[in-house]
Every structure is written in C-alpha cells, then in structure tokens.
Amino acid sequence: MTAELDIWLLITAHPDDESMFFIPTLRNLLSLDCKNESNDSKNPNIHLICLSNGDYRDVSDGPVRTKELYKACSLIGIDESKSSGASSVVVLDDDRLKDGPNEVWNSDLIANTVLERLQTILSSKQQQSTQQQQINVNIITFDQGGVSGHPNHVDVFRGIKHFLDEKCHVVRGDDEKLMAKLILKQQADTNGQDDKKN
C-alpha cells in the first residue's frame, strides 16, 4: 500500500506577507494536522518560499526583514530546520526579483524558481521515506488581484499560473474523477516516463 504525504507550499512576495495575508490559512493547516492521529511527524509539511527579501526602502532592510520572517514562521509554527534535508523557509535575494511597486517580475523566472525548490523538497522527502509514497503538493499563494493589489503579489500569482500551465501536466485521476494531478514536465522528460507527482 502506498502512503500519502501532503506538502503545503506557500509562495509569497515579501517578508510579512505570511503574517498579513496567510496566518488564518496556516493556523488552520497546523490545527488540522494536530488532529490527524495518523500523522507520525510533529509538524505538517509546510514550506515557504519568499521571492524577495523586502529591501524596497533600503538595502539594509533586507536582512532585518528576513530575520523577522524567520521569527514569524517560528511563532506561527512552521519548522524552519534543515534536519529534513531541505529548509522549510527560504527567502530569496535575487536582483531579478527586487521588491518594489515599479518592479516587474518575470513569470518564467518565478515558475522555474518554484520548480527548482519543489524538486529539492520532493527529492528530500523521497530520500527520507522507507516506503513508496504518493506526495500531494498543495500550493498556496495570492489571488489574481494580489490580495492587496501590490504589483509584486500579482506577479507571484501570474508566475504560479505559468508554473501550472507550462511546467506541469494536468491529467485525469485513476478513479476517473476530474482531479488535477501534477506531473512535473522536466522530471518526466528527464526520466523518459511520466512519474506522477501531486
């Protein structure tokens, strides 16, 4: 029998987005996980990718806001340790993804960044497992209006939409119900077969 593992991947634009917009969702996931008696781990598999370090006003703000994000994640209950082989919280400092309302973030860059991070997480989880498991990846991010309308938030939505449209296949589930199963195109192309990743 194949075990199931749920991974929750939150993708934000700036440090503080996790607190301003996603605490109710994260707290709900954490509380549901605590009620799940079949779960052997202490914490749910929640991962966060923050695509910028939030240095819009001043470059010195980046490291400060990054530390604040790590502290906030700790208080929320997201385990940021690297003991699982892949850190659960990642803050990027990439000149192509600079914080700011006048900055335009490339959708393909966002999609590739998410793909690389997701491959690292999945590889780590597969190496840890002693049994075959089906991994369900659940992505949480901004809506098409960026929740608050911030251009970087809207670009994150567009980048994730691009990721789903261009980096994944959507297929019918084994039970013939309409359900989205993601098959990472790059993984399938590399292996020469369709290795299913949810």
Side-chain angles (χ1 to χ4, degrees):
M1 184 172 172
T2 303
E4 282 197 38
L5 174 66
D6 284 315
I7 293 175
W8 298 88
L9 182 59
L10 172 61
I11 302 151
T12 64
H14 317 105
D16 77 11
D17 291 345
E18 77 293 333
S19 298
M20 291 177 65
F21 306 112
F22 297 103
I23 279 184
T25 300
L26 294 170
R27 296 303 295 165
N28 188 45
L29 287 173
L30 289 161
S31 91
L32 288 175
D33 190 71
C34 290
K35 294 175 187 173
N36 182 359
E37 295 172 10
S38 65
N39 187 359
D40 295 331
S41 66
K42 291 180 184 176
N43 296 314
N45 289 292
I46 299 175
H47 294 262
L48 168 67
I49 304 171
C50 183
L51 294 173
S52 79
N53 67 4
D55 62 357
Y56 171 63
R57 282 184 262 155
D58 190 274
V59 75
S60 66
D61 288 344
V64 172
R65 293 187 70 192
T66 296
K67 285 181 186 175
E68 291 172 348
L69 180 139
Y70 283 116
K71 180 67 174 173
C73 287
S74 176
L75 292 171
I76 293 167
I78 300 174
D79 180 15
E80 64 174 288
S81 71
K82 294 182 184 178
S83 60
S84 64
S87 178
S88 295
V89 180
V90 172
V91 181
L92 300 181
D93 183 9
D94 186 324
D95 286 338
R96 299 168 297 175
L97 297 169
K98 295 307 277 182
D99 179 9
N102 298 320
E103 299 292 333
V104 177
W105 292 359
N106 179 282
S107 292
D108 198 51
L109 174 62
I110 293 170
N112 286 329
T113 300
V114 170
L115 178 62
E116 289 171 16
R117 183 70 193 138
L118 188 53
Q119 287 174 328
T120 299
I121 294 167
L122 293 174
S123 175
S124 173
K125 296 298 179 191
Q126 289 169 343
Q127 289 173 4
Q128 292 172 10
S129 178
T130 58
Q131 61 181 346
Q132 186 178 2
Q133 60 184 348
Q134 175 179 318
I135 301 176
N136 303 310
V137 177
N138 306 279
I139 296 176
I140 305 166
T141 195
F142 301 102
D143 62 14
Q144 63 188 4
V147 179
S148 66
H150 192 297
N152 298 155
H153 297 181
V154 173
D155 286 342
V156 172
F157 170 82
R158 289 181 183 145
I160 298 308
K161 184 172 182 332
H162 182 72
F163 168 76
L164 295 172
D165 292 344
E166 301 298 325
K167 308 296 180 188
C168 305
H169 295 290
V170 179
V171 298
R172 215 175 260 278
D174 294 335
D175 58 3
E176 291 304 312
K177 290 182 182 173
L178 270 180
M179 66 192 247
K181 292 202 175 233
L182 303 181
I183 302 170
L184 301 181
K185 286 183 181 178
Q186 185 174 352
Q187 182 80 14
D189 293 344
T190 302
N191 293 340
Q193 59 183 346
D194 285 346
D195 291 333
K196 291 185 180 180
K197 305 277 187 265
N198 287 352

